[in-house]
Amino acid sequence: MKSSAEVFDRIASRLSDREGEVAVSHGILVANLAPGGVLAAARLLRDELGFDVFLDVTAVDWPGQDPRFEVVWHFYSTSHKVRVRVKTRVPESNPSVPSLTPLYGSAAFMERECHEMYGIGFEGNADLRPLLLYEGFVGHPLRKDYPKEREQPLVAYRPGFELGERG
Amino acid sequence: MSAERRIIPIEPAGSPGKSAAFEYISTRKDELIGWARKFSIFPYPFVTACCAMEFMAVSSTPYDTDRFGAALPRFSPRQSDLLMVVGTVTHKQAPILLKVWEQMCEPKWVMAFGVCATSGGFYQNYAAVPGIDRILPVDVYIPGCPPRPEMVIDGIMQLQDKIARQKHVIVTKDF
Amino acid sequence: MAAGPRIANPVRSAFAPGERDDTVVVSIGPSHPATHGTIQIFAELSGERVIRADVHCGYLHRGFEKECEAHTWHNCIPYMDRLNYCSPLINDFAYCDAVERLMGVEITRRAVVLRTLLSEYSRLCDHITCIAASLMELGAMTAFLYMVMIRDYMYEHIAALTGARVTHSYGRIGGLARDLPPGWLERLEEILVQYDDFVGRVHGLVDRNRIFIDRMRDVGVLSQADALSYGYTGPMLRSTGLALDLRKDTPYLAYPELDFEVPVGIKGDNYDRYYVRMREMDESVHMIRQCVEMLEPGPINVDDRRCSFPEKPLVYGEIESLINHFKLVMEGPKVPAGEIYVAHEGANGELGFYLVSTGEGTPYKVHCRAPSFVHMGGAHKMLEGYQLADLVPTFGSINMIGGECDR
């Protein structure tokens, strides 16, 4: 097995062909790409560089910054035993990135979660029904502007209990 | 222990529910039915979260709730009379909990097992119901995260006391 | 909610009943003894056979990430316990490891070995719980009672160290909560001997049991290609024959120094998953014994005032330690700005933590890459094409843990 630094060098040289910066941070190769370049980069990672496990997709909300959302993907290679992180920024007005469902089966569930929690749209994922939340939930709870204790109960509380009252 | 044989006096029951029942038979029908009911609790384990680990321990060999007549879990609400809400109930789960409770036949009791079911515990946010008493009436609360099996057994005994002291509506003047 | 039914339905199935004449749609769960509480499966049946399955999770989504953002780095640790509540210590240590790497803290040798030992001990508990529950669902009550008995010895034993039977909150950033109590290692060896005895009985009861084999062999088969595509890791992936284990591949803690094998299955059916877990438990016992040998006296917390608390007598005796303690409790340890992804081999697979810090005492974001959640995304692959009754052992062998699946 080659050392991870050699593997990273090789991947970095391939990824940096497509506009974006690539750096190593805490043992993971990090690639900052434009939203449009994500699907092509993922295809390159899977088909040519051996990143066969799609670990995770999530988002980070940076209110006040523009573009507001940072979408983060993690990939793992079972042959090189290293991980790669792909990041991109999307604006609040159009928080949309391409879906990875054509490449990885695991993307379907994870994108559904990211969609309901942050309101990120995944173009190409036809099934974005609520997964961890429920039908009728308004808003995206992991956005920083969603108050932590705002409840949306499905069952009316019994008499004597007020919504939002604690303790 | 000395060679002298110890005589353990059998004390007559002072108040209902305080002792095993074979020493006397009550002449009050309420008491009699309460005695019968408290030793035949069929729990419905509405198991959601971490407390399930303790529920497994408390209902099997090491702690054995069979000693309290509450061993056999029924997985149909229609056959059970104690709804044990074991773990966090979220807003997504709340309709299911209510539906299960409504399907249970009278008489029925509800136990909030662990702090999440009691008050939401340390999940005070958009997702968790801050206590199942907001959606259905609760008879006995067991604190702990998760409660130790001894606390659960104590909770069952307190519920038995409550059942024994209850007025049982089946006893009408025609009975 | 005035227009709809009085009790609203929280989920929507991917397919409606009545789309086809020759099938029937059955809803299994979310309160069903075989779904471990919190999952709902819509299964479209043709006769007894499942044609399509739509898996819904989220019934235990209790806002883990939102809660973490409202607590200090230290105060998040109890929430980690309740992710995978069968093996809380692995969660604790993975999270602490991630924070420590972000801070650049290197923990002491004794803490490294103890964390390794306790991770394996926790893995043992987790596999025992998984196998006990799935055997009980198949009617093997005796095996269940044996397993719960030995697990209860372990719980009481861990409680003697950590103070709690199930949710231990034992990890600390920069070390551990406290050192081993006297006699703990002797009792550990006793339990490991008893474990051999109890698990030997379970092997004897079920391994070659005709009923068990008929229910498990060639049921819920998962191909290796599907497993990789759906992001499977841990025992689920290893049961398909791929020896992928983070303890070997991306070494952390004391695993590079330990001698252990990575058991794999042959074809990825339920029986393989059962047997891989049984073999992994034996490997864990082997590792625990090696860790006991490696354990040397020494401090368990790093001497770094950014994260570990000063000694109690110093807090009461001098102003610097008092203020240090106050700052750590009230504001939390200041973790340098940055982001990190650290994964440990959890009992179910790759348990990863993606942390984002802005340099404050509270995390900006804590994301958990939970194996159970990812496994649920591909669960329909193992259910479709088999009988409805096979859903129970298949689901049991996935070992879905609600806490980490729904978070």
Side-chain angles (χ1 to χ4, degrees):
Chain A
M1 199 176 87
K2 275 179 274 181
S3 76
S4 55
E6 285 173 50
V7 178
F8 281 153
D9 280 346
R10 202 159 58 85
I11 300 164
S13 66
R14 293 298 302 277
L15 275 177
S16 54
D17 297 348
R18 28 195 101 245
E19 307 148 28
E21 38 186 295
V22 182
V24 177
S25 143
H26 293 288
I28 290 183
L29 191 79
V30 184
N32 280 296
L33 303 174
V38 171
L39 188 61
R43 185 166 279 133
L44 176 78
L45 283 170
R46 186 191 72 155
D47 294 341
E48 294 175 37
L49 299 172
F51 284 80
D52 39 7
V53 179
F54 173 50
L55 289 176
D56 193 33
V57 57
T58 185
V60 189
D61 181 11
W62 300 98
Q65 292 186 17
D66 190 50
R68 178 175 169 181
F69 295 104
E70 190 171 35
V71 188
V72 183
W73 292 264
H74 284 95
F75 301 89
Y76 182 68
S77 162
T78 56
S79 46
H80 309 307
K81 325 280 188 203
V82 290
R83 298 194 180 86
V84 162
R85 178 186 305 144
V86 173
K87 297 205 294 185
T88 188
R89 296 294 284 245
V90 287
E92 192 179 356
S93 54
N94 178 29
S96 179
V97 291
S99 165
L100 299 189
T101 39
L103 303 177
Y104 299 97
S106 53
F109 249 46
M110 298 179 203
E111 288 175 358
R112 269 171 80 178
E113 188 209 350
C114 191
H115 172 71
E116 65 184 349
M117 291 298 169
Y118 288 96
I120 306 290
F122 289 90
E123 285 163 35
N125 191 337
D127 179 18
L128 288 173
R129 286 172 298 152
L131 181 65
L132 299 186
L133 299 173
Y134 37 88
E135 298 290 330
F137 192 94
V138 181
H140 303 288
L142 286 187
R143 286 189 177 185
K144 293 282 179 187
D145 50 13
Y146 190 94
K148 176 168 156 262
E149 299 193 350
R150 181 191 287 166
E151 297 171 58
Q152 303 186 21
L154 288 175
V155 175
Y157 283 176
R158 291 167 60 220
F161 290 101
E162 292 293 319
L163 190 63
E165 174 205 49
R166 306 265 162 183
Chain B
M1 190 169 291
S2 64
E4 189 188 332
R5 191 166 158 239
R6 283 182 62 210
I7 297 165
I8 301 164
I10 299 173
E11 289 177 14
S15 62
K18 272 281 151 62
S19 76
F22 289 107
E23 296 123 27
Y24 71 101
I25 285 187
S26 170
T27 49
R28 284 181 54 208
K29 288 168 194 162
D30 250 2
E31 232 169 67
L32 182 65
I33 289 173
W35 167 78
R37 280 185 175 163
K38 77 174 194 179
F39 288 117
S40 62
I41 301 172
F42 286 88
Y44 177 96
F46 192 86
V47 175
T48 61
C50 336
C51 289
M53 297 297 111
E54 286 297 22
F55 178 78
M56 276 169 82
V58 84
S59 62
S60 62
T61 347
Y63 292 93
D64 191 13
T65 43
D66 206 0
R67 297 176 290 160
F68 306 91
L72 197 63
R74 311 305 307 179
F75 285 103
S76 166
R78 292 166 188 82
Q79 299 170 354
S80 52
D81 40 29
L82 169 62
L83 178 62
M84 281 176 131
V85 184
V86 184
T88 322
V89 173
T90 60
H91 284 302
K92 189 171 180 179
Q93 185 93 325
I96 286 93
L97 177 64
L98 188 63
K99 210 175 266 184
V100 166
W101 183 75
E102 288 189 348
Q103 286 174 356
M104 288 170 66
C105 300
E106 291 285 351
K108 59 188 172 188
W109 298 277
V110 179
M111 173 190 280
F113 187 123
V115 284
C116 286
T118 305
S119 69
F122 68 177
Y123 292 103
Q124 299 293 333
N125 56 34
Y126 62 92
V129 177
I132 56 164
D133 49 10
R134 277 165 173 68
I135 46 179
L136 42 86
V138 179
D139 293 276
V140 57
Y141 299 89
I142 304 174
C145 188
R148 276 193 64 92
E150 291 87 345
M151 291 171 72
V152 182
I153 288 172
D154 186 50
I156 292 175
M157 288 164 71
Q158 294 206 17
L159 180 68
Q160 287 183 329
D161 267 5
K162 180 173 178 172
I163 294 172
R165 280 185 279 106
Q166 243 170 5
K167 191 156 173 53
H168 293 276
V169 285
I170 191 173
V171 189
T172 59
K173 64 182 192 315
D174 308 320
F175 180 68
Chain C
M1 256 178 283
R6 201 177 58 80
I7 299 181
N9 195 1
V11 298
R12 178 159 47 103
S13 169
F15 37 84
E19 274 180 21
R20 286 172 56 175
D21 291 342
D22 53 342
T23 62
V24 62
V25 175
V26 180
S27 161
I28 301 139
S31 188
H32 184 272
T35 61
H36 301 226
T38 53
I39 209 102
Q40 184 168 21
I41 302 169
F42 289 100
E44 185 171 27
L45 304 179
S46 166
E48 282 279 300
R49 206 158 286 279
V50 178
I51 300 176
R52 277 193 292 177
D54 182 20
V55 180
H56 286 266
C57 49
Y59 285 97
L60 194 53
H61 174 67
R62 40 190 181 181
F64 159 78
E65 290 185 30
K66 199 78 176 173
E67 283 291 351
C68 283
E69 289 168 16
H71 288 75
T72 64
W73 291 95
H74 263 130
N75 287 356
C76 292
I77 292 174
Y79 290 100
M80 304 301 152
D81 278 327
R82 287 151 185 84
L83 286 174
N84 184 345
Y85 36 77
C86 293
S87 50
L89 291 170
I90 301 182
N91 301 281
D92 275 11
F93 298 153
Y95 168 74
C96 290
D97 191 16
V99 180
E100 283 152 10
R101 285 196 210 181
L102 203 50
M103 295 180 85
V105 170
E106 191 153 333
I107 56 172
T108 62
R109 173 72 186 159
R110 188 172 171 85
V112 168
V113 178
L114 264 180
R115 281 189 184 181
T116 318
L117 190 156
L118 290 166
S119 289
E120 289 311 309
Y121 206 27
S122 236
R123 192 184 315 278
L124 202 57
C125 280
D126 189 297
H127 286 349
I128 285 178
T129 311
C130 163
I131 292 172
S134 46
L135 286 177
M136 180 188 63
E137 281 154 11
L138 291 175
M141 200 65 193
T142 316
F144 169 75
L145 293 178
Y146 282 145
M147 297 289 232
V148 170
M149 201 68 218
I150 187 71
R151 194 192 64 161
D152 209 69
Y153 294 157
M154 293 176 179
Y155 273 1
E156 284 299 334
H157 188 223
I158 299 180
L161 170 65
T162 65
R165 279 164 56 93
V166 179
T167 45
H168 315 298
S169 307
Y170 181 63
R172 291 289 183 273
I173 297 163
L176 299 165
R178 58 188 75 81
D179 210 339
L180 300 179
W184 199 84
L185 292 174
E186 288 74 33
R187 176 71 184 137
L188 175 66
E189 182 54 35
E190 279 172 33
I191 288 177
L192 294 184
V193 171
Q194 275 172 326
Y195 155 85
D196 275 340
D197 182 25
F198 276 83
V199 167
R201 292 183 211 171
V202 176
H203 272 299
L205 279 171
V206 298
D207 275 9
R208 288 160 177 253
N209 186 321
R210 189 71 249 165
I211 303 169
F212 183 69
I213 292 174
D214 283 349
R215 292 295 302 275
M216 302 291 264
R217 252 297 167 229
D218 296 319
V219 172
V221 179
L222 180 71
S223 73
Q224 204 179 90
D226 272 348
L228 282 173
S229 164
Y230 279 95
Y232 279 59
T233 45
M236 298 287 296
L237 180 61
R238 291 195 281 275
S239 73
T240 64
L242 192 62
L244 201 70
D245 192 324
L246 296 183
R247 292 170 291 177
K248 286 267 192 219
D249 300 337
T250 58
Y252 59 95
L253 292 180
Y255 287 113
E257 302 159 47
L258 298 179
D259 163 54
F260 66 101
E261 286 172 13
V262 179
V264 294
I266 305 160
K267 46 185 166 181
D269 58 5
N270 283 342
Y271 193 88
D272 279 357
R273 290 195 275 274
Y274 157 78
Y275 217 86
V276 163
R277 285 207 169 86
M278 286 300 251
R279 282 279 297 111
E280 273 189 22
M281 287 176 3
D282 296 342
E283 292 299 324
S284 289
V285 171
H286 184 47
M287 277 188 259
I288 290 171
R289 291 209 163 106
Q290 293 174 56
C291 286
V292 172
E293 291 295 313
M294 283 158 59
L295 208 54
E296 286 161 9
I300 52 162
N301 279 310
V302 287
D303 189 21
D304 189 334
R305 293 280 79 88
R306 285 182 302 156
C307 59
S308 46
F309 290 93
E311 299 284 330
K312 262 278 144 52
L314 290 178
V315 175
Y316 293 131
E318 58 176 49
I319 187 68
E320 290 82 6
S321 298
L322 179 69
I323 292 296
N324 185 206
H325 189 272
F326 177 82
K327 292 283 243 187
L328 279 178
V329 171
M330 301 306 289
E331 293 175 6
K334 297 279 185 291
V335 175
E339 52 178 351
I340 193 164
Y341 179 89
V342 170
H344 278 196
E345 178 75 23
N348 283 333
E350 171 157 345
L351 177 77
F353 282 100
Y354 174 62
L355 310 179
V356 179
S357 173
T358 50
E360 299 291 315
T362 51
Y364 193 75
K365 179 183 170 67
V366 176
H367 178 74
C368 173
R369 189 265 182 207
S372 288
F373 176 70
V374 183
H375 292 172
M376 279 302 107
H380 60 278
K381 283 273 170 197
M382 284 175 276
L383 303 174
E384 287 165 358
Y386 298 96
Q387 306 254 320
L388 179 64
D390 293 336
L391 188 143
V392 175
T394 305
F395 194 80
S397 73
I398 301 175
N399 194 21
M400 195 281 302
I401 305 291
E404 68 171 9
C405 177
D406 303 339
R407 285 157 287 152

